[in-house]
Amino acid sequence: MKKILVTGGAGFLGSHLCERLAAQGHHVTALDNFHTGCKANLADLLRRNHFALLEQSVCDPVETAFDEIYNLACPASPPHYQADPIYTFRTSVFGTFNMLELARRCGAKLLQASTSEVYGDPLVHPQTEGYWGNVNPIGIRACYDESKRGAESLVYDFQRFHGLNVRLARIFNTYGPGMNPSDGRVVSNFIVQALRGEDITIHGEGLQTRSFCYRDDLVEGMIRLMNAPDEVSFPVNLGNPGEFRILDLARIVLEKTGSRSSLVFLPMPQDDPMLRRPDISRARDCLGWEPGISLHEGLDATIDYFRSLIAPLAAPPVRRAAQGV
Ligand code: UDP
């Protein structure tokens, strides 16, 4: 049984990672300040033995020793990370620094959750790990893109200077059950809008592409990366190479939900990448990993999940029997 810390452990990905690690018999500690994470995501885990919650910022001191640290803490949805960009930058860079120091003190292995955003609006397609990216350093996405790039440089300086055992996953767009309905990213927005009969908000003409990876595939990739041989300390793309235009995603969601929502076209946000698709040759070679769940299967499961959340809210209030007040 390993002692494992998951920062951002109450988030969408973090909480599923905690569940998988706990199911494997490890002692798992989730660290989260609930800035974007949600305590309800940990409801089952909090009833288990060998699970602990540290309710604090990833930037604040942690005194406990761990064998492994998965560093996921950071707002990741554009509306959330742009709402308080200074907080986002601080969380990403200071938080990673704090976790690297912790790993150094206790001799832990650290896996950094980086992002496809380090490639910016890419000029190389699909994106390989060797591509250095095309990022606007002063734009509205920079608080996330550049802070994640800064965190990557810290990770490798700790490796070079302190001999730290590090792993680095560049995570592409991920979705699945457990997403917050107000997450703000495209898959959850479109499904929630379709189920509520609201307009589907397409940015630009919807010709920009993304590659969507199902939650469980992604979590499996992260665990494999942490457990890979020590030589696998270089960045590894984790994502699903299936590439879809946002407009096509909207049409698929409308068809699957049977919704009569209309498509509305809004201005394209500044610096929004036009293309995104991972080259996952490295993950295939080094981890024997590739996604197993197609967008169609994954969307079905995600739509079922959102239906279960939204249907009870939309239903007329149930009349309760009088309580004899
Ligand atoms: N997007 C959209 N409508 C929405 C939310 C997002 O058209 O309601 C677009 C967004 O502009 C981007 C893509 O969908 O081009 C993916 O956005 P998301 O926020 O999910 O993730 P990103 O890859 O931009 O971080």
Side-chain angles (χ1 to χ4, degrees):
M1 178 195 278
K2 289 186 278 199
K3 288 188 71 182
I4 303 179
L5 175 65
V6 178
T7 78
F12 162 58
L13 272 182
S15 58
H16 287 94
L17 178 61
C18 287
E19 271 166 23
R20 283 285 301 277
L21 294 169
Q24 290 178 352
H26 301 297
H27 188 292
V28 179
T29 301
L31 179 155
D32 211 297
N33 64 354
F34 305 123
H35 182 82
T36 51
C38 180
K39 202 167 190 171
N41 288 339
L42 301 174
D44 290 343
L45 283 162
L46 284 164
R47 283 191 283 270
R48 294 174 73 124
N49 294 328
H50 309 304
F51 178 78
L53 170 64
L54 280 179
E55 193 172 334
Q56 64 163 85
S57 163
V58 67
C59 301
D60 291 339
V62 176
E63 305 299 343
T64 321
F66 297 95
D67 302 308
E68 294 177 352
I69 300 170
Y70 288 83
N71 186 36
L72 276 66
C74 190
S77 163
H80 291 160
Y81 71 63
Q82 288 165 20
D84 190 346
I86 296 167
Y87 173 88
T88 300
F89 197 96
R90 191 172 170 277
T91 305
S92 180
V93 176
F94 292 6
T96 301
F97 176 77
N98 195 30
M99 289 303 110
L100 287 164
E101 278 291 343
L102 173 64
R104 186 178 66 80
R105 283 199 306 275
C106 63
K109 201 194 298 184
L110 181 138
L111 183 149
Q112 173 70 4
S114 191
T115 167
S116 58
E117 285 285 321
V118 301
Y119 302 125
D121 192 9
L123 306 176
V124 167
H125 194 67
Q127 292 78 59
T128 55
E129 291 88 348
Y131 177 49
W132 289 357
N134 177 38
V135 175
N136 175 359
I138 58 168
I140 57 169
R141 292 175 88 96
C143 61
Y144 188 68
D145 300 6
E146 293 290 21
S147 69
K148 284 287 186 177
R149 288 165 67 96
E152 287 202 5
S153 80
L154 271 176
V155 165
Y156 289 106
D157 283 335
F158 268 73
Q159 181 191 48
R160 283 184 286 263
F161 272 70
H162 299 300
L164 204 72
N165 192 350
V166 297
R167 306 299 149 104
L168 190 132
R170 291 197 180 136
I171 299 172
F172 285 64
N173 299 62
T174 306
Y175 71 99
M179 287 185 98
N180 192 319
S182 57
D183 177 275
R185 277 173 286 194
V186 70
V187 174
S188 48
N189 271 11
F190 284 3
I191 295 176
V192 169
Q193 289 163 344
L195 292 177
R196 288 185 175 147
E198 296 168 356
D199 289 346
I200 308 282
T201 53
I202 296 182
H203 298 166
E205 295 172 73
L207 302 180
Q208 67 275 35
T209 68
R210 292 294 186 273
S211 300
F212 300 102
C213 189
Y214 190 67
R215 174 199 79 185
D216 297 19
D217 280 333
L218 205 285
V219 166
E220 171 70 24
M222 289 178 86
I223 294 173
R224 284 195 194 201
L225 180 57
M226 181 64 106
N227 293 315
D230 288 352
E231 305 84 78
V232 188
S233 61
F234 34 71
V236 178
N237 286 340
L238 294 180
N240 191 320
E243 183 180 4
F244 294 85
R245 295 189 313 177
I246 294 305
L247 184 58
D248 295 329
L249 175 72
R251 290 184 177 136
I252 296 169
V253 168
L254 281 182
E255 193 190 309
K256 282 186 177 295
T257 52
S259 167
R260 295 166 64 186
S261 289
S262 311
L263 305 182
V264 295
F265 293 85
L266 303 178
M268 189 74 164
Q270 188 197 333
D271 297 334
D272 200 310
M274 277 309 292
L275 297 172
R276 184 165 300 152
R277 175 185 180 186
D279 180 318
I280 60 164
S281 314
R282 192 176 273 184
R284 282 199 180 101
D285 292 348
C286 299
L287 312 177
W289 175 88
E290 64 181 0
I293 298 170
S294 69
L295 182 66
H296 281 271
E297 291 170 278
L299 281 179
D300 287 341
T302 311
I303 290 168
D304 285 350
Y305 157 77
F306 277 117
R307 257 192 226 287
S308 72
L309 286 188
I310 287 167
L313 296 178
V318 178
R319 283 180 68 87
R320 289 174 198 279
Q323 298 282 308
V325 180

